[in-house]
Amino acid sequence: MAIFDSKGRLFGKINILDLGAALVILLVIVGIFIFPGTSGSVAQVGAKTVPIEVDLAVRGLNVRDPERLFDNGFKKGGKTNVIIRNQPYGQIGIKSVQLLPRTITATQPDGSVKELPDPRTNNFSTDMLLTLEGKAQVTESGPVLGNSKVKIGMPFELEGYNYNFNATVIDVRVQNK
């Protein structure tokens, strides 16, 4: 008895093409379930999670009454939703919110320059200094929130109940490095 007959069947019973397809399917299943590979993003491989503080500068936020932001959780001890490079990160804690005074520079008669409080009453522009705190993964190239590296100069989008505005990272502090 021959191993292959005239129709290409193995021992006259199994078609060789069907056997090849079955072996490919079996190898794919073994590859998926037995050797699944690594999970997570490339930026998170070999990283450890540590507390992080991120300082943000908000310049020229147009708001009628800045105190209304604080009524719905945008205050020390609250949380805000963060979007980094159009990728939602989730909620992160607010460590501090500091309203910065609006000032103008005025040239003096002797040629020097003084910074004075802005006398305009119809100015609806507000500057703030925010400190956010959360957990980040630290890689060789710096801290990572979600799948985005956090570096000075990056824009963060903050969103909450009654606000959505952008801020810029001015400092990143990794705790227990």
Side-chain angles (χ1 to χ4, degrees):
M1 179 173 183
I3 295 179
F4 292 105
D5 66 2
S6 63
K7 294 183 180 179
R9 293 183 294 203
L10 187 61
F11 300 113
K13 298 187 187 241
I14 301 172
N15 188 337
I16 192 75
L17 293 175
D18 291 340
L19 178 66
L23 284 175
V24 168
I25 291 171
L26 181 66
L27 287 173
V28 168
I29 290 172
V30 167
I32 290 173
F33 293 109
I34 306 299
F35 304 106
T38 60
S39 62
S41 72
V42 176
Q44 297 173 354
V45 174
K48 63 179 182 173
T49 303
V50 296
I52 186 175
E53 289 182 357
V54 179
D55 288 339
L56 303 171
V58 179
R59 304 287 294 179
L61 177 63
N62 292 319
V63 59
R64 177 179 290 226
D65 182 12
E67 298 299 323
R68 298 248 350 241
L69 288 172
F70 307 138
D71 293 342
N72 292 302
F74 190 75
K75 58 187 170 191
K76 180 179 178 177
K79 292 200 175 284
T80 186
N81 293 316
V82 175
I83 301 167
I84 307 169
R85 292 187 179 160
N86 294 327
Q87 298 295 320
Y89 167 69
Q91 288 195 331
I92 192 167
I94 301 172
K95 184 173 182 179
S96 69
V97 178
Q98 178 185 356
L99 289 175
L100 300 175
R102 295 290 295 178
T103 59
I104 59 170
T105 54
T107 307
Q108 301 300 305
D110 65 355
S112 65
V113 177
K114 270 190 176 176
E115 187 175 12
L116 300 171
D118 191 352
R120 295 178 290 179
T121 57
N122 63 351
N123 189 356
F124 299 114
S125 183
T126 302
D127 295 339
M128 288 188 278
L129 180 63
L130 305 173
T131 302
L132 305 179
E133 60 183 352
K135 300 272 186 192
Q137 294 187 339
V138 178
T139 63
E140 294 174 358
S141 62
V144 176
L145 284 174
N147 288 329
S148 299
K149 294 178 185 174
V150 179
K151 302 209 181 255
I152 294 173
M154 285 185 54
F156 270 35
E157 184 178 344
L158 303 176
E159 181 180 24
Y161 176 76
N162 61 344
Y163 61 89
N164 184 332
F165 59 87
N166 292 328
T168 303
V169 176
I170 59 171
D171 192 17
V172 179
R173 291 182 300 281
V174 177
Q175 310 296 319
N176 303 329
K177 191 169 182 182

